[in-house]
Amino acid sequence: MSAHTHFIAAIAKKPSEAVTAGIRSGGGQDPNPELFARQHDTYVRTLEDCGLAVTVLPADPQFPDSVFVEDTALCFKGFAVMLRPGAPSRAGELAAISSAISQWYDDVEVLERGHVDGGDVLWTGPEVIVGQSARTNLEGATALVELLTRRGLIARIAQTPAGVLHFKSDSSSLDSETILATTRVAQSGVFDSYRVMEVPPGEEAAANAVRIRDHVFIPAGSPATAALLSDAGFNVVELDNSEPALIDGGLSCMSLRIPEQD
Ligand code: CIR
């Protein structure tokens, strides 16, 4: 199994009561904090059931979006990268994550300029794709590609579709050759060197899936995607994600997954 799916641990952070103030694009209803916390507990337990050691950081009501730890850092084999998220209200989330990352990594790089949200960074196994978006600007994407190239990885910049929060809102790596994606991102040609499984229309949110060892987590309520993945031989785990989704959070956003280190 490739390092990019063979995770040994994860970092997560409890949601606080302040999730009701989380950033959202549509201006829709607030999440229910109690239900959010229950869905988060199930998510963490499911990661543990897959064999991962999960560090769960305490909630921090100062930062309503801090439950979405994925946007703050990247975890590779041998090194991690602290990012510079694009939303000004999220910059203060890094301190807590940085100290959790240092429990796992001696070698931590820091993105030097621009802005990159981890949600825009897709590690497919053979390469890392950095989506330019409303959060990830060209300066940050360029700095990240330079950093990753210096570290021996293959990396390139792509476009997150207009109106989509993050590149990984619309795509996930299922294995080193296979991508799960929405039609709108697949049609851009960005995944032409991969086998692409397109999520059926109406189930776009399921394109933000997470492959964890032998399992693929998808949001509950995506029956056609569940069938597509099961038929292809993947072990599907459906998780209720109604409350994170109200503030644009998918399943990948709520953990920083740490691959096997050697
Ligand atoms: C935000 O807008 O930053 C949060 N409300 C949602 C972040 C979701 N993160 C992700 O897709 N990686």
Side-chain angles (χ1 to χ4, degrees):
M1 194 181 296
S2 162
H4 84 294
T5 57
H6 194 235
F7 300 111
I8 54 164
I11 296 166
K13 187 172 170 97
K14 280 188 180 289
S16 75
E17 294 284 318
V19 288
T20 51
I23 310 169
R24 72 210 76 176
S25 50
Q29 78 183 84
D30 290 347
N32 172 317
E34 289 77 34
L35 181 54
F36 199 132
R38 285 204 297 280
Q39 291 178 346
H40 190 265
D41 282 347
T42 304
Y43 176 80
V44 168
R45 254 201 330 275
T46 311
L47 288 171
E48 290 171 340
D49 289 346
C50 289
L52 275 63
V54 187
T55 302
V56 185
L57 302 173
D60 186 347
Q62 260 193 294
F63 299 108
D65 288 298
S66 56
V67 61
F68 302 121
V69 293
E70 180 184 63
D71 293 318
T72 58
L74 302 173
C75 298
F76 293 105
K77 208 167 166 163
F79 73 102
V81 184
M82 294 309 301
L83 296 172
R84 294 161 56 91
S89 65
R90 301 197 58 189
E93 295 175 18
L94 266 77
I97 301 298
S98 177
S99 68
I101 290 266
S102 67
Q103 309 292 307
W104 288 97
Y105 290 94
D106 295 329
D107 186 352
V108 182
E109 299 262 9
V110 176
L111 185 73
E112 281 180 357
R113 57 184 199 277
H115 292 288
V116 174
D117 275 15
D120 278 315
V121 183
L122 179 68
W123 185 17
T124 66
E127 63 174 346
V128 180
I129 304 175
V130 184
Q132 243 186 283
S133 70
R135 297 288 177 84
T136 296
N137 61 15
L138 180 60
E139 187 183 17
T142 303
L144 182 59
V145 166
E146 284 169 9
L147 187 162
L148 296 177
T149 305
R150 174 167 53 77
R151 296 300 306 232
L153 293 171
I154 296 171
R156 64 177 157 122
I157 298 175
Q159 286 299 323
T160 297
V164 173
L165 177 62
H166 286 132
F167 193 70
K168 284 193 295 195
S169 309
D170 270 34
S171 61
S172 316
S173 171
L174 295 175
D175 58 39
S176 298
E177 292 93 37
T178 315
I179 302 287
L180 180 69
T182 59
T183 300
R184 62 190 166 210
V185 76
Q187 276 178 346
S188 73
V190 65
F191 297 125
D192 279 358
S193 56
Y194 295 86
R195 175 165 78 112
V196 180
M197 296 176 70
E198 288 185 25
V199 293
E203 294 191 6
E204 283 74 14
N208 179 266
V210 197
R211 170 83 194 265
I212 306 277
R213 296 196 185 185
D214 293 329
H215 293 86
V216 179
F217 297 4
I218 63 167
S222 319
T225 308
L228 184 74
L229 293 171
S230 301
D231 290 350
F234 292 103
N235 292 324
V236 177
V237 180
E238 296 181 60
L239 290 173
D240 207 342
N241 193 51
S242 63
E243 302 315 287
L246 288 170
I247 51 172
D248 301 342
L251 293 173
S252 77
C253 322
M254 293 187 289
S255 57
L256 272 169
R257 298 159 298 276
I258 298 168
E260 200 172 38
Q261 294 299 300
D262 25 58

